[in-house]
Structures are given as C-alpha cells and as structure tokens.
Amino acid sequence: MRFCSAVLSAALAILTGSCHGPKQLTATAVTLSLADTLPALPPSEIDIPVKIAGAPLLKAVDSMVPREFVSQGWPGYLQSSCDFRYRYRFVRSGFAIRCANNHLSIAMSGSYQVAGGRCLCAAGKPVSPWISGYCGFDKEPMRRVDFSFGTQLGVQQDYRLRAVSAVEQIVSLDRCRMSIFSMDMTDQITDSIRSSVASFCNGLDASITGIKFGDYLRQAAKTWQKTPIGPYGWLVVNPVSLRVSTLNYVRDSFLVSLGITCRPE
C-alpha cells in the first residue's frame, strides 16, 4: 500500500506541474505602412492660361522691321546689266498683325520711288549716254504697294523656339511706267522688295531660333520640389512634362496656355 501511495503521489505531482507551469506563445508580427493603405495617386494636370498685352510686343516687332528698304548702293545706281541701271527707295507705314494657331502674319503698306536708265553696249561696255526715267521723284507722287510676310512658330523638344518666315504677298497699287524709254519698272521693284523682305525673314528666323527657355523651366521646377502645406505636412509636385498650346492674337492680346503634368506625393 505504501508503494502504491508513493506512485500515486508522484503521478499527481507531475500532472499538477504540467497543468500550472508557464507556457511560451509565439505570434506573427504584422506591419502596416501608409503606402499599403492608400491607392496610387493619378498624374495631375495643371493648365495656366496666359494673356500677354500686345502693344509692347508690337512695338518691339516694329523696331525690328526696317522703316526703309533701299537698293544696294543707294542713292547711287545699281547696274544689273551692261545696258540697264536703277535705284529705288521703299518707305513703309505701320503694320497690321494677325496670329492664329502659331502662324503670325504681318501686313504693311508703303510707297516707293524709283529711277532707271538705259544705254547702248558693245563688248560688254556702255558706248552711249544713259537715257533715264523715274517714278516718284521731283513732283511725282510716290507709288504705293502693300506686302505681308508670315512666320510659323513652334517649340522644339529641347524647348527652343523655331520660326519659319516667308513673304506672303506683294501687291502694287500703282504702276511705275517710265515713258521716256517705254519701260514698266513695277515688276523689278516688287522683285527687289521681295528679295529685301526675304533677307529680313532669314535674319528674323535666326534670331528667334536662338531663343531657348529650358533653363527657366528647370529653375521654376526646382521651386516646386517641396512645398509646406501648414500643419498637414509637405507637398511634392514632381513635374514630369510640359506642354505649350498654340499662340493666338485676339483683339489686343496674345493668348497661350501653359500646361504641366505632375506626379504629386
């Protein structure tokens, strides 16, 4: 009986210890981040309409376009062949401007005077006195002519401006007929004016194409990198791309829209 009591006591002690002893529990840690709880933000599109007063720009353009177009060597004669020489002067007035979808058109009117002469030639040299005639000199009124040229503007990928200019039309309102040697000089004058305006257009294109504003855009983008929004934190805009709408001229103002695509955070 003593042996059985001892065995029973030992079994109860073991059972009691196993029921009331400390237990080790292991739980899997769960980490939640803010990025996991919020959906991805779509790109933001910001468009800024810009209205530019036309008067200062028109004044600048007016200062770029010469007031006079003259023949080479004016007031001397330009001898285009052995038996013919001429000289002319064209004076422009103010101009009218139109701009639609990046196409800028400038129209002007003006008046001109021209004088020419003919002679007899032999072996490539004049051998007789010059017989001269003129239009618009002395008491004659200067002849009138209208002309216009256009410029197609664009923006290249490196944010440089691009310009392609050309003469659009030249219309002679008055003919220039030199009756002293039965010659109409109107076509020669309009061709000379066309050549002078075309040369000006080439110089205008070269000056506009050299303008770049990429550096200004990059500098402006830096100011948007981190903006405080009061007690709520910070806003990061992250500019991705820039766009520029076509340029238009309405009444007395140039209108254009600047847009930017952003990846806000």
Side-chain angles (χ1 to χ4, degrees):
M1 290 294 296
R2 291 181 179 177
F3 176 75
C4 292
S5 298
V7 171
L8 181 59
S9 298
L12 289 175
I14 293 173
L15 181 61
T16 302
S18 63
C19 291
H20 297 283
K23 293 183 178 180
Q24 299 294 330
L25 296 178
T26 302
T28 303
V30 179
T31 302
L32 295 178
S33 66
L34 186 61
D36 296 330
T37 61
L38 295 178
L41 292 176
S44 294
E45 306 291 344
I46 301 174
D47 290 283
I48 305 173
V50 179
K51 184 178 182 180
I52 305 172
L57 289 179
L58 295 181
K59 184 178 180 180
V61 173
D62 184 74
S63 65
M64 295 173 61
V65 181
R67 283 284 175 178
E68 289 187 352
F69 296 92
V70 298
S71 58
Q72 184 178 352
W74 173 270
Y77 283 92
L78 174 63
Q79 190 167 344
S80 59
S81 64
C82 175
D83 62 346
F84 180 70
R85 66 181 185 178
Y86 70 98
R87 58 175 178 160
Y88 76 89
R89 180 173 72 101
F90 172 80
V91 182
R92 72 171 179 86
S93 61
F95 57 81
I97 187 171
R98 300 192 310 271
C99 185
N101 297 327
N102 280 1
H103 184 78
L104 183 68
S105 181
I106 299 177
M108 287 174 271
S109 61
S111 53
Y112 68 89
Q113 54 186 168
V114 59
R118 281 196 178 278
C119 71
L120 296 177
C121 286
K125 294 182 180 180
V127 295
S128 71
W130 289 93
I131 301 175
S132 300
Y134 57 82
C135 293
F137 284 95
D138 295 337
K139 295 182 180 180
E140 283 194 5
M142 297 178 69
R143 303 308 194 254
R144 297 169 301 158
V145 64
D146 292 341
F147 73 95
S148 64
F149 67 91
T151 300
Q152 185 67 40
L153 301 173
V155 180
Q156 303 182 81
Q157 292 184 349
D158 58 353
Y159 299 112
R160 289 178 180 267
L161 290 178
R162 181 183 69 256
V164 179
S165 304
V167 180
E168 292 183 337
Q169 67 174 356
I170 297 180
V171 179
S172 296
L173 304 179
D174 302 314
R175 305 296 297 183
C176 174
R177 295 183 177 90
M178 299 182 185
S179 58
I180 193 170
F181 48 88
S182 301
M183 184 170 186
D184 191 327
M185 288 287 296
T186 307
D187 293 339
Q188 285 86 343
I189 292 301
T190 55
D191 287 344
S192 296
I193 294 175
R194 184 184 302 274
S195 177
S196 297
V197 177
S199 177
F200 167 77
C201 289
N202 291 334
L204 179 65
D205 291 347
S207 61
I208 292 179
T209 303
I211 299 176
K212 60 178 181 178
F213 52 95
D215 294 339
Y216 299 102
L217 296 177
R218 283 187 287 270
Q219 185 65 31
K222 290 181 180 180
T223 63
W224 293 351
Q225 291 302 311
K226 190 175 183 181
T227 304
I229 51 177
Y232 302 101
W234 303 85
L235 173 65
V236 180
V237 177
N238 297 321
V240 176
S241 63
L242 178 76
R243 59 188 174 274
V244 182
S245 72
T246 56
L247 181 68
N248 293 280
Y249 185 70
V250 180
R251 295 182 181 177
D252 59 349
S253 300
F254 289 95
L255 305 179
V256 68
S257 178
L258 304 178
I260 187 170
T261 300
C262 308
R263 184 173 51 82
E265 294 179 0

